[in-house]
Amino acid sequence: MTVQLSGGSRMGTVWRLSWPSIMEQLLATMVSYVDTAMVGALGAAATAAVSVNAAPIWMCGGLLSGVGIGYSVQVSNAIGAGDDQRAREVVRQGVLAALVCGALFLLIYEGLSGYIPMWLGAKPEVLPQATAYLRYYAAGMPWVAAGSIFSAVLRCMGNTRAPLLFNSLANVLNIILNFFLIYETRTVPLWGLTLVIPGAGRGVAGAALASALSWVFAGTALLWVGTRQGRFRIHLRDGLRPDGAIIRMAVRLGLPSALERATVNLGQIAMTALVASLGTVALAANQIATTAEGLCYLPAYGISYAAIALVGQSVGARSREDAAAFGTLAARTALALCSAMAVLLFLFAPALSSLFNSDPAVVDEAARMLRIVCFAEPLFALSIVYSGTLRGAHDVRFPMVCSLVCMWGLRIPLAPLLVRKAGLGLSAVWIAMSADLILRGILCTARWHSGRWTRMCGLEEP
């Protein structure tokens, strides 16, 4: 399946590619809500154990996202240029990248699972559960890598429905497994009968194991579909010999994106350590607010996947007009949707927070954080989409520099200053984050409309 770049409505094309990704993001967020609530039923310490591991897990996802960019943009360029053989070779190298990256992250996270939560400031009552959670989650890293890379590749082929299907099924599987792995065996009254529900009683470790097993399913399915995609089908029996030219291009395209995500996630790790120093209630509230915030910007991520594919294929087809039009239209669509979501988030912040924890102090704190950040979400949406369009146009360094400046030049110094000097507690962290997101949106928007990206991909007008 490839994208029709000419003829018909551009808005129709953007929406046709966007809606499955938006639904995927929405379902993933809904399942994350249920997942957080199921762990939250075990108490604030259990929620904090998951929270303290969120940043290192995000870092892994961010680095793998960069790898996915490196290969998926090459696939979209090849499809736009009508070079099917090139597209097949890139897919083959994507399989090799998934195997290597998955094995590397497995070794790193398993080896450091006893240290990472401690380095991030987990309290003594949280540390054993946090260590167990990271150790079990890390077992699924090879499949996390395959799922992340081939979700990106499939989207740039124009197939956004396969990632929607398999990632959504994996999320449902995660909830089902949580039900049996987190809790002890218990009895439930049903229609006058007493039903015995078996349970492993593994607590936080059970939640991590459920996530790992779900990734095994999703990663395997997406790898299988990605290597059997119509005319881009490859045969693994032909081998996975490294192709230096494709790998070098993947590094050039993907490394800045990986470094950008690493920059952001290292900053999030620093923020997690700062939040952990504020106590278990603050750490639990931060996790809940972070999960709920995803409702606001998830349409932007879904639209950004479509934007990367459309801009990338337009570049391959040598159409500056299509690239510019698709990129701008995608950003405007994300701005409208995320603005509406921000209003709803402000209105329903207390209700959302109460879904995840029964501790009134945790719920009130989480709701306050959501009402702080909702004002930054529209500009954050612009930064998400324009970062994607810039990558699709090979302007991969600017998003990295932008993230570096905003995270380490603004958020990191501002948050502790507001905590220690102004005494704002957890609010300081979210105020600093909002300032970061607003500046990032302004800078990315200015970069796209400057047209400098046309030089990066060879579409500059003579």
Side-chain angles (χ1 to χ4, degrees):
M1 176 183 178
T2 57
V3 180
Q4 185 67 36
L5 295 176
S6 59
S9 165
R10 284 195 177 107
M11 184 66 225
T13 301
V14 169
W15 186 247
R16 178 169 57 85
L17 287 185
S18 296
W19 77 259
S21 296
I22 293 173
M23 288 300 301
E24 179 187 341
Q25 296 293 309
L26 177 62
L27 290 171
T29 300
M30 293 296 100
V31 170
S32 179
Y33 284 178
V34 178
D35 198 27
T36 302
M38 294 177 83
V39 172
L42 303 175
T47 301
V50 176
S51 177
V52 80
N53 283 309
I57 289 174
W58 289 338
M59 175 176 284
C60 172
L63 293 173
L64 290 173
S65 174
V67 177
I69 288 290
Y71 290 94
S72 63
V73 170
Q74 290 189 78
V75 168
S76 67
N77 291 164
I79 292 172
D83 191 344
D84 290 357
Q85 178 59 33
R86 171 74 175 180
R88 286 191 291 270
E89 288 305 315
V90 175
V91 169
R92 186 181 303 279
Q93 294 303 301
V95 175
L96 180 62
L99 294 174
V100 172
C101 292
L104 181 61
F105 280 116
L106 172 64
L107 293 174
I108 291 173
Y109 278 76
E110 286 289 354
L112 297 178
S113 60
Y115 300 95
I116 291 175
M118 181 175 61
W119 292 339
L120 294 178
K123 302 296 182 183
E125 69 272 18
V126 173
L127 187 57
Q129 295 183 75
T131 298
Y133 184 89
L134 189 56
R135 179 170 289 126
Y136 279 97
Y137 189 94
M141 285 299 179
W143 293 274
V144 173
S148 179
I149 292 170
F150 274 87
S151 287
V153 168
L154 282 165
R155 291 185 189 110
C156 278
M157 288 178 176
N159 184 353
T160 54
R161 297 190 181 189
L164 167 63
L165 173 63
F166 293 116
N167 286 325
S168 298
L169 287 175
N171 285 327
V172 174
L173 177 62
N174 181 46
I175 294 302
I176 295 172
L177 292 174
N178 272 348
F179 192 68
F180 292 104
L181 294 176
I182 292 177
Y183 308 114
E184 301 279 358
T185 298
R186 63 273 191 205
T187 57
V188 177
L190 181 65
W191 298 326
L193 301 175
T194 300
L195 184 65
V196 178
I197 306 294
R202 299 303 301 271
V204 169
L209 181 58
S211 296
L213 291 173
S214 300
W215 271 114
V216 170
F217 165 77
T220 301
L222 288 164
L223 181 64
W224 187 84
V225 173
T227 55
R228 288 163 174 77
Q229 189 67 19
R231 68 181 194 269
F232 308 118
R233 179 188 182 107
I234 66 168
H235 299 284
L236 297 181
R237 64 174 177 268
D238 295 334
L240 295 173
R241 181 179 302 170
D243 184 311
I246 292 176
I247 293 173
R248 284 191 296 272
M249 179 59 75
V251 171
R252 189 175 79 80
L253 292 173
L255 182 60
S257 179
L259 290 176
E260 175 197 350
R261 294 291 293 270
T263 296
V264 171
N265 284 288
L266 282 173
Q268 289 170 335
I269 288 174
M271 290 296 95
T272 299
L274 178 61
V275 171
S277 71
L278 300 174
T280 299
V281 169
L283 191 58
N286 188 70
Q287 169 67 11
I288 289 169
T290 300
T291 302
E293 185 209 2
L295 268 178
C296 247
Y297 59 73
L298 66 87
Y301 274 112
I303 293 168
S304 75
Y305 298 144
I308 292 172
L310 290 168
V311 172
Q313 291 195 25
S314 298
V315 168
R318 315 308 300 158
S319 175
R320 183 180 187 275
E321 179 185 355
D322 277 337
F326 279 125
T328 301
L329 181 59
R332 289 175 179 173
T333 304
L335 177 64
L337 288 175
C338 292
S339 296
M341 295 297 290
V343 172
L344 294 176
L345 185 65
F346 184 89
L347 295 175
F348 296 104
L352 280 173
S353 301
S354 66
L355 293 175
F356 309 131
N357 202 285
S358 57
D359 187 330
V362 173
V363 171
D364 290 345
E365 188 80 344
R368 279 196 296 274
M369 301 311 107
L370 291 175
R371 283 179 166 165
I372 289 171
V373 79
C374 68
F375 293 99
E377 295 300 324
L379 279 167
F380 185 33
L382 289 178
S383 76
I384 290 169
V385 176
Y386 278 135
S387 290
T389 60
L390 289 168
R391 293 187 191 103
H394 296 203
D395 189 359
V396 290
R397 293 184 183 178
F398 183 83
M400 178 190 70
V401 173
C402 180
S403 294
L404 179 65
V405 169
C406 293
M407 174 63 79
W408 292 94
L410 181 58
R411 188 192 303 196
I412 298 299
L414 182 60
L417 181 66
L418 293 177
V419 168
R420 292 162 189 157
K421 300 297 183 182
L424 294 178
L426 185 60
S427 297
V429 175
W430 286 73
I431 290 171
M433 180 174 76
S434 298
D436 167 359
L437 300 182
I438 290 170
L439 179 59
R440 201 178 302 186
I442 292 170
L443 293 176
C444 288
T445 301
R447 179 69 172 195
W448 178 258
H449 287 287
S450 75
R452 294 181 183 177
W453 54 270
T454 59
R455 293 201 297 268
M456 309 294 179
C457 59
L459 295 182
E460 185 178 21
E461 292 180 341

